[in-house]
Amino acid sequence: MTDVLDDQLTKLKTALQLSDIKHDNLLKLYLEDATDFLKLRLSVTGTLPNEMLAIVRGAAVKKFNRFKNEGMASYSQDGESITFASSDFDEWNDEISQWRKDHFCVNRGMWVNPYAIRHSRSSN
């Protein structure tokens, strides 16, 4: 997990254009929390699939950008208004749903030969 976390941290800091270590512990916490929440959404135990790591980073970016405004539904000051999504993962609902379908056999078809089934039943 540490290698993956370090790699994720490097990519997250690049996305946020941060070069110092001032926020590293906070960013690691956001990455770990996003990983845990996404694993719950995907019903995954163990290691999160690699194809979901971009979603983890995206959720961590959102969380960092909302730093000191956690829990707010919206924020307004001097004519500027910001509204926060109720979930950090709402933006990726389509991707999460597709992954679940692909990995829990919802989209997988199976060809069945009805004659083979009938034949095996009659031989018993």
Side-chain angles (χ1 to χ4, degrees):
M1 171 78 177
T2 303
D3 290 340
V4 173
L5 183 61
D6 289 341
D7 182 54
Q8 287 288 83
L9 178 62
T10 300
K11 290 177 180 179
L12 178 60
K13 288 175 69 171
T14 300
L16 293 170
Q17 299 180 350
L18 298 174
S19 56
D20 59 13
I21 61 169
K22 179 180 176 183
H23 298 289
D24 281 10
N25 288 336
L26 182 63
L27 294 174
K28 284 181 183 180
L29 176 65
Y30 289 163
L31 288 168
E32 290 169 348
D33 287 351
T35 298
D36 291 342
F37 288 128
L38 187 54
K39 285 167 62 173
L40 283 172
R41 279 191 163 218
L42 297 173
S43 300
V44 169
T45 57
T47 305
L48 190 68
N50 286 337
E51 59 267 26
M52 295 286 117
L53 295 178
I55 294 175
V56 168
R57 285 191 310 274
V61 166
K62 285 182 167 190
K63 192 79 166 170
F64 182 80
N65 287 337
R66 206 170 52 223
F67 183 59
K68 295 190 180 178
N69 294 319
E70 289 94 349
M72 289 187 191
S74 63
Y75 172 81
S76 184
Q77 180 180 354
D78 298 329
E80 179 183 14
S81 179
I82 300 170
T83 303
F84 302 115
S86 59
S87 168
D88 292 333
F89 298 100
D90 287 350
E91 181 178 338
W92 298 283
N93 277 339
D94 291 343
E95 289 83 357
I96 291 168
S97 294
Q98 186 62 50
W99 189 92
R100 287 180 58 85
K101 287 177 187 174
D102 291 346
H103 291 83
F104 291 109
C105 300
V106 175
N107 281 343
R108 296 183 184 171
M110 184 172 94
W111 186 82
V112 176
N113 181 346
Y115 299 106
I117 292 171
R118 183 183 299 157
H119 179 70
S120 66
R121 284 186 187 164
S122 63
S123 64
N124 290 335

Coordinates of all heavy atoms in Angstrom, one line a residue, residues 9 26-29 32 34 38 46-47 49 51-52 65 68 70 79 86-87 91 102 115-116:
L9 N 0.4 10.0 -4.1 CA 0.7 11.3 -3.5 C 1.5 12.2 -4.5 O 1.2 13.4 -4.6 CB 1.5 11.2 -2.2 CG 2.0 12.4 -1.5 CD1 0.8 13.3 -1.0 CD2 2.9 12.1 -0.3
L26 N -1.8 15.6 5.2 CA -3.2 15.9 4.9 C -3.6 15.2 3.6 O -4.7 14.5 3.5 CB -3.5 17.4 4.9 CG -4.9 17.8 4.6 CD1 -5.8 17.4 5.7 CD2 -5.0 19.3 4.4
L27 N -2.8 15.3 2.6 CA -3.0 14.7 1.3 C -3.1 13.2 1.4 O -3.9 12.5 0.8 CB -2.0 15.1 0.3 CG -2.0 16.6 -0.1 CD1 -0.9 17.0 -1.0 CD2 -3.3 17.0 -0.7
K28 N -2.2 12.6 2.2 CA -2.2 11.1 2.4 C -3.5 10.7 3.1 O -4.1 9.7 2.7 CB -1.0 10.7 3.2 CG 0.3 10.7 2.5 CD 1.4 10.2 3.4 CE 2.8 10.2 2.7 NZ 3.9 9.7 3.5
L29 N -3.9 11.5 4.1 CA -5.2 11.2 4.7 C -6.4 11.2 3.7 O -7.2 10.3 3.7 CB -5.5 12.2 5.9 CG -6.8 12.1 6.6 CD1 -6.9 10.7 7.3 CD2 -7.0 13.2 7.5
E32 N -6.2 8.1 1.5 CA -6.6 6.9 2.3 C -8.1 6.9 2.5 O -8.7 5.9 2.3 CB -5.8 6.9 3.6 CG -4.4 6.5 3.5 CD -3.6 6.7 4.8 OE1 -4.1 7.3 5.7 OE2 -2.4 6.3 4.8
A34 N -10.4 8.5 0.7 CA -11.1 8.3 -0.6 C -11.0 6.8 -1.1 O -11.9 6.3 -1.6 CB -10.4 9.2 -1.7
L38 N -14.3 4.6 -1.6 CA -14.5 4.0 -2.9 C -14.6 2.4 -2.9 O -15.4 1.8 -3.5 CB -13.4 4.4 -3.9 CG -13.6 4.0 -5.4 CD1 -15.0 4.5 -5.9 CD2 -12.5 4.6 -6.3
G46 N -9.6 -5.7 0.2 CA -8.3 -5.8 -0.2 C -7.8 -4.6 -1.0 O -8.2 -3.5 -0.7
T47 N -7.1 -4.8 -2.0 CA -6.5 -3.7 -2.8 C -7.5 -3.1 -3.8 O -8.2 -3.9 -4.5 CB -5.3 -4.2 -3.6 OG1 -4.4 -4.8 -2.7 CG2 -4.6 -3.1 -4.3
P49 N -8.7 -1.7 -7.3 CA -8.2 -1.9 -8.6 C -7.5 -0.7 -9.2 O -8.0 0.5 -8.9 CB -9.5 -2.2 -9.4 CG -10.5 -2.6 -8.4 CD -10.2 -1.9 -7.1
E51 N -7.5 0.7 -12.0 CA -8.3 1.6 -12.9 C -9.2 2.6 -12.1 O -9.7 3.5 -12.6 CB -9.2 0.8 -13.9 CG -10.2 -0.2 -13.2 CD -9.6 -1.6 -13.1 OE1 -8.4 -1.8 -13.0 OE2 -10.5 -2.5 -13.0
M52 N -9.2 2.4 -10.8 CA -10.0 3.3 -9.9 C -9.2 4.3 -9.2 O -9.7 5.2 -8.6 CB -10.8 2.5 -8.8 CG -11.8 1.5 -9.4 SD -13.3 2.4 -9.9 CE -13.3 2.1 -11.7
N65 N -9.4 21.0 -2.2 CA -9.9 22.3 -2.6 C -11.0 22.8 -1.7 O -11.2 24.0 -1.6 CB -10.4 22.3 -4.0 CG -9.2 22.2 -5.0 OD1 -8.1 22.5 -4.7 ND2 -9.5 21.6 -6.2
K68 N -11.0 23.5 4.9 CA -11.6 24.5 5.8 C -13.0 24.9 5.4 O -13.6 25.8 6.0 CB -10.7 25.8 5.8 CG -9.3 25.5 6.4 CD -8.6 26.8 6.6 CE -7.2 26.4 7.2 NZ -6.4 27.6 7.4
E70 N -15.2 22.1 4.9 CA -15.8 20.8 5.0 C -17.1 20.9 5.7 O -17.3 21.7 6.6 CB -14.9 19.8 5.9 CG -13.6 19.4 5.2 CD -12.4 20.3 5.5 OE1 -12.7 21.3 6.1 OE2 -11.3 19.9 5.2
G79 N -20.4 38.2 -3.8 CA -21.0 37.9 -5.1 C -20.5 36.6 -5.7 O -21.0 36.2 -6.7
S86 N -22.8 16.6 -2.7 CA -23.1 15.9 -1.5 C -22.1 14.8 -1.3 O -21.8 14.3 -0.2 CB -24.5 15.4 -1.4 OG -24.8 14.6 -2.5
S87 N -21.5 14.3 -2.4 CA -20.6 13.2 -2.3 C -19.4 13.5 -3.2 O -19.6 14.0 -4.3 CB -21.2 11.9 -2.8 OG -20.2 10.9 -3.0
E91 N -19.4 12.8 -9.3 CA -18.9 13.0 -10.7 C -18.6 11.7 -11.4 O -18.6 11.7 -12.7 CB -17.6 13.9 -10.6 CG -17.0 14.3 -11.9 CD -15.8 15.2 -11.6 OE1 -15.7 15.9 -10.6 OE2 -14.9 15.3 -12.5
D102 N -19.3 -4.6 -14.9 CA -18.3 -5.4 -15.5 C -17.7 -6.5 -14.6 O -17.3 -7.5 -15.1 CB -17.2 -4.5 -16.1 CG -17.6 -3.7 -17.2 OD1 -18.7 -3.9 -17.8 OD2 -16.9 -2.7 -17.6
Y115 N -30.7 -28.0 -25.9 CA -30.8 -29.4 -26.2 C -29.9 -30.2 -25.3 O -30.2 -31.3 -24.8 CB -30.5 -29.7 -27.6 CG -31.5 -29.0 -28.6 CD1 -31.1 -27.9 -29.3 CD2 -32.8 -29.5 -28.7 CE1 -32.0 -27.2 -30.1 CE2 -33.7 -28.8 -29.5 CZ -33.3 -27.7 -30.2 OH -34.2 -27.1 -31.0
A116 N -28.7 -29.6 -24.9 CA -27.8 -30.3 -24.0 C -28.4 -30.4 -22.6 O -28.3 -31.4 -21.9 CB -26.5 -29.5 -23.9

